[in-house]
Tab-separated table of all heavy atoms in Angstrom:
chain	number	residue	atom	x	y	z
D	1238	PRO	N	-47.520	-13.227	143.436
D	1238	PRO	CA	-47.735	-14.157	144.560
D	1238	PRO	C	-49.200	-14.556	144.719
D	1238	PRO	O	-49.483	-15.659	145.186
D	1238	PRO	CB	-47.239	-13.373	145.763
D	1238	PRO	CG	-46.240	-12.430	145.213
D	1238	PRO	CD	-46.808	-12.028	143.867
D	1239	ARG	N	-50.107	-13.669	144.322
D	1239	ARG	CA	-51.536	-13.987	144.408
D	1239	ARG	C	-52.067	-14.553	143.097
D	1239	ARG	O	-53.265	-14.816	142.972
D	1239	ARG	CB	-52.348	-12.757	144.791
D	1239	ARG	CG	-52.153	-12.309	146.225
D	1239	ARG	CD	-53.218	-11.288	146.630
D	1239	ARG	NE	-53.240	-11.071	148.068
D	1239	ARG	CZ	-52.565	-10.119	148.675
D	1239	ARG	NH1	-51.823	-9.301	147.990
D	1239	ARG	NH2	-52.651	-9.995	149.985
D	1240	ASN	N	-51.194	-14.739	142.103
D	1240	ASN	CA	-51.623	-15.277	140.807
D	1240	ASN	C	-52.806	-14.500	140.237
D	1240	ASN	O	-53.760	-15.101	139.704
D	1240	ASN	CB	-52.000	-16.761	140.936
D	1240	ASN	CG	-50.839	-17.680	140.665
D	1240	ASN	OD1	-49.691	-17.253	140.649
D	1240	ASN	ND2	-51.135	-18.937	140.417
D	1241	THR	N	-52.741	-13.188	140.345
D	1241	THR	CA	-53.872	-12.368	139.933
D	1241	THR	C	-53.411	-11.209	139.051
D	1241	THR	O	-52.370	-10.594	139.327
D	1241	THR	CB	-54.623	-11.811	141.163
D	1241	THR	OG1	-55.053	-12.909	141.982
D	1241	THR	CG2	-55.834	-10.999	140.752
D	1242	VAL	N	-54.173	-10.933	138.019
D	1242	VAL	CA	-53.961	-9.763	137.188
D	1242	VAL	C	-55.210	-8.896	137.294
D	1242	VAL	O	-56.326	-9.409	137.438
D	1242	VAL	CB	-53.661	-10.146	135.729
D	1242	VAL	CG1	-54.828	-10.859	135.074
D	1242	VAL	CG2	-53.260	-8.926	134.911
D	1243	TYR	N	-55.000	-7.598	137.265
D	1243	TYR	CA	-56.095	-6.646	137.441
D	1243	TYR	C	-56.228	-5.756	136.217
D	1243	TYR	O	-55.275	-5.537	135.479
D	1243	TYR	CB	-55.830	-5.760	138.659
D	1243	TYR	CG	-55.623	-6.520	139.942
D	1243	TYR	CD1	-54.342	-6.772	140.425
D	1243	TYR	CD2	-56.719	-6.988	140.673
D	1243	TYR	CE1	-54.156	-7.475	141.606
D	1243	TYR	CE2	-56.535	-7.688	141.850
D	1243	TYR	CZ	-55.254	-7.923	142.317
D	1243	TYR	OH	-55.069	-8.620	143.489
D	1244	LEU	N	-57.426	-5.234	136.041
D	1244	LEU	CA	-57.655	-4.188	135.056
D	1244	LEU	C	-58.452	-3.095	135.752
D	1244	LEU	O	-59.646	-3.279	136.037
D	1244	LEU	CB	-58.399	-4.710	133.830
D	1244	LEU	CG	-58.553	-3.695	132.702
D	1244	LEU	CD1	-57.179	-3.365	132.080
D	1244	LEU	CD2	-59.503	-4.209	131.615
D	1245	GLU	N	-57.783	-1.997	136.048
D	1245	GLU	CA	-58.431	-0.839	136.648
D	1245	GLU	C	-58.991	0.000	135.516
D	1245	GLU	O	-58.258	0.414	134.612
D	1245	GLU	CB	-57.413	-0.031	137.457
D	1245	GLU	CG	-57.999	1.126	138.230
D	1245	GLU	CD	-58.734	0.685	139.487
D	1245	GLU	OE1	-58.307	-0.307	140.112
D	1245	GLU	OE2	-59.738	1.327	139.827
D	1246	MET	N	-60.304	0.239	135.552
D	1246	MET	CA	-60.972	0.956	134.468
D	1246	MET	C	-61.610	2.221	135.030
D	1246	MET	O	-62.474	2.136	135.917
D	1246	MET	CB	-62.036	0.067	133.823
D	1246	MET	CG	-61.495	-1.282	133.353
D	1246	MET	SD	-62.710	-2.247	132.438
D	1246	MET	CE	-63.928	-2.526	133.707
D	1247	ASN	N	-61.179	3.344	134.533
D	1247	ASN	CA	-61.697	4.636	134.964
D	1247	ASN	C	-62.342	5.367	133.786
D	1247	ASN	O	-62.120	5.000	132.622
D	1247	ASN	CB	-60.578	5.486	135.550
D	1247	ASN	CG	-59.942	4.857	136.773
D	1247	ASN	OD1	-60.641	4.411	137.685
D	1247	ASN	ND2	-58.623	4.803	136.806
D	1248	SER	N	-63.103	6.392	134.108
D	1248	SER	CA	-63.771	7.197	133.078
D	1248	SER	C	-64.489	6.314	132.060
D	1248	SER	O	-64.346	6.493	130.851
D	1248	SER	CB	-62.753	8.099	132.369
D	1248	SER	OG	-62.084	8.928	133.290
D	1249	LEU	N	-65.241	5.379	132.557
D	1249	LEU	CA	-65.888	4.412	131.683
D	1249	LEU	C	-66.929	5.063	130.795
D	1249	LEU	O	-67.621	6.016	131.188
D	1249	LEU	CB	-66.516	3.298	132.514
D	1249	LEU	CG	-65.496	2.270	133.036
D	1249	LEU	CD1	-66.078	1.458	134.180
D	1249	LEU	CD2	-65.051	1.353	131.908
D	1250	ARG	N	-67.038	4.517	129.593
D	1250	ARG	CA	-67.950	5.029	128.563
D	1250	ARG	C	-68.905	3.923	128.159
D	1250	ARG	O	-68.576	2.727	128.294
D	1250	ARG	CB	-67.139	5.483	127.346
D	1250	ARG	CG	-66.057	6.492	127.652
D	1250	ARG	CD	-65.111	6.635	126.470
D	1250	ARG	NE	-64.055	7.601	126.722
D	1250	ARG	CZ	-62.976	7.738	125.958
D	1250	ARG	NH1	-62.835	6.986	124.881
D	1250	ARG	NH2	-62.071	8.627	126.269
D	1251	PRO	N	-70.048	4.281	127.606
D	1251	PRO	CA	-70.977	3.232	127.142
D	1251	PRO	C	-70.324	2.269	126.145
D	1251	PRO	O	-70.651	1.072	126.149
D	1251	PRO	CB	-72.098	4.046	126.488
D	1251	PRO	CG	-72.093	5.339	127.239
D	1251	PRO	CD	-70.649	5.615	127.541
D	1252	GLU	N	-69.411	2.749	125.351
D	1252	GLU	CA	-68.753	1.879	124.368
D	1252	GLU	C	-67.765	0.891	125.000
D	1252	GLU	O	-67.222	0.033	124.312
D	1252	GLU	CB	-68.047	2.701	123.281
D	1252	GLU	CG	-67.067	3.732	123.798
D	1252	GLU	CD	-67.662	5.122	123.927
D	1252	GLU	OE1	-68.855	5.251	124.312
D	1252	GLU	OE2	-66.930	6.091	123.632
D	1253	ASP	N	-67.532	1.017	126.302
D	1253	ASP	CA	-66.721	0.024	127.009
D	1253	ASP	C	-67.545	-1.194	127.414
D	1253	ASP	O	-66.987	-2.176	127.927
D	1253	ASP	CB	-66.087	0.638	128.261
D	1253	ASP	CG	-65.086	1.727	127.946
D	1253	ASP	OD1	-64.289	1.558	127.008
D	1253	ASP	OD2	-65.108	2.765	128.643
D	1254	THR	N	-68.841	-1.143	127.194
D	1254	THR	CA	-69.704	-2.269	127.525
D	1254	THR	C	-69.306	-3.501	126.724
D	1254	THR	O	-69.230	-3.450	125.492
D	1254	THR	CB	-71.170	-1.910	127.246
D	1254	THR	OG1	-71.573	-0.852	128.125
D	1254	THR	CG2	-72.079	-3.111	127.448
D	1255	ALA	N	-69.034	-4.573	127.426
D	1255	ALA	CA	-68.569	-5.800	126.777
D	1255	ALA	C	-68.387	-6.881	127.838
D	1255	ALA	O	-68.426	-6.605	129.038
D	1255	ALA	CB	-67.241	-5.569	126.066
D	1256	VAL	N	-68.167	-8.096	127.360
D	1256	VAL	CA	-67.658	-9.150	128.232
D	1256	VAL	C	-66.138	-9.074	128.176
D	1256	VAL	O	-65.553	-9.055	127.085
D	1256	VAL	CB	-68.147	-10.536	127.794
D	1256	VAL	CG1	-67.553	-11.614	128.699
D	1256	VAL	CG2	-69.670	-10.601	127.819
D	1257	TYR	N	-65.520	-9.020	129.353
D	1257	TYR	CA	-64.075	-8.904	129.440
D	1257	TYR	C	-63.470	-10.261	129.817
D	1257	TYR	O	-63.922	-10.911	130.772
D	1257	TYR	CB	-63.697	-7.851	130.478
D	1257	TYR	CG	-63.898	-6.445	129.975
D	1257	TYR	CD1	-65.184	-5.931	129.789
D	1257	TYR	CD2	-62.821	-5.628	129.656
D	1257	TYR	CE1	-65.381	-4.649	129.296
D	1257	TYR	CE2	-63.000	-4.335	129.179
D	1257	TYR	CZ	-64.278	-3.859	128.991
D	1257	TYR	OH	-64.468	-2.584	128.504
D	1258	PHE	N	-62.453	-10.639	129.058
D	1258	PHE	CA	-61.792	-11.933	129.234
D	1258	PHE	C	-60.310	-11.710	129.561
D	1258	PHE	O	-59.692	-10.808	128.999
D	1258	PHE	CB	-61.853	-12.755	127.951
D	1258	PHE	CG	-63.233	-13.066	127.461
D	1258	PHE	CD1	-63.903	-12.192	126.626
D	1258	PHE	CD2	-63.854	-14.258	127.822
D	1258	PHE	CE1	-65.186	-12.469	126.153
D	1258	PHE	CE2	-65.129	-14.561	127.353
D	1258	PHE	CZ	-65.791	-13.661	126.531
D	1259	CYS	N	-59.756	-12.563	130.405
D	1259	CYS	CA	-58.313	-12.527	130.570
D	1259	CYS	C	-57.694	-13.732	129.884
D	1259	CYS	O	-58.339	-14.780	129.712
D	1259	CYS	CB	-57.894	-12.444	132.031
D	1259	CYS	SG	-58.131	-13.926	133.000
D	1260	ASN	N	-56.479	-13.551	129.462
D	1260	ASN	CA	-55.737	-14.558	128.723
D	1260	ASN	C	-54.322	-14.647	129.281
D	1260	ASN	O	-53.711	-13.626	129.587
D	1260	ASN	CB	-55.701	-14.181	127.242
D	1260	ASN	CG	-54.774	-15.043	126.445
D	1260	ASN	OD1	-53.584	-14.767	126.327
D	1260	ASN	ND2	-55.308	-16.107	125.883
D	1261	ALA	N	-53.828	-15.877	129.408
D	1261	ALA	CA	-52.441	-16.124	129.798
D	1261	ALA	C	-51.763	-16.839	128.639
D	1261	ALA	O	-52.277	-17.864	128.165
D	1261	ALA	CB	-52.379	-16.976	131.058
């Protein structure tokens, strides 16, 4: 209903550093 997708990210690591993109 809110036309929204989420990405909950926990226990983040330095190797998670990036630009994050969503795709439909």
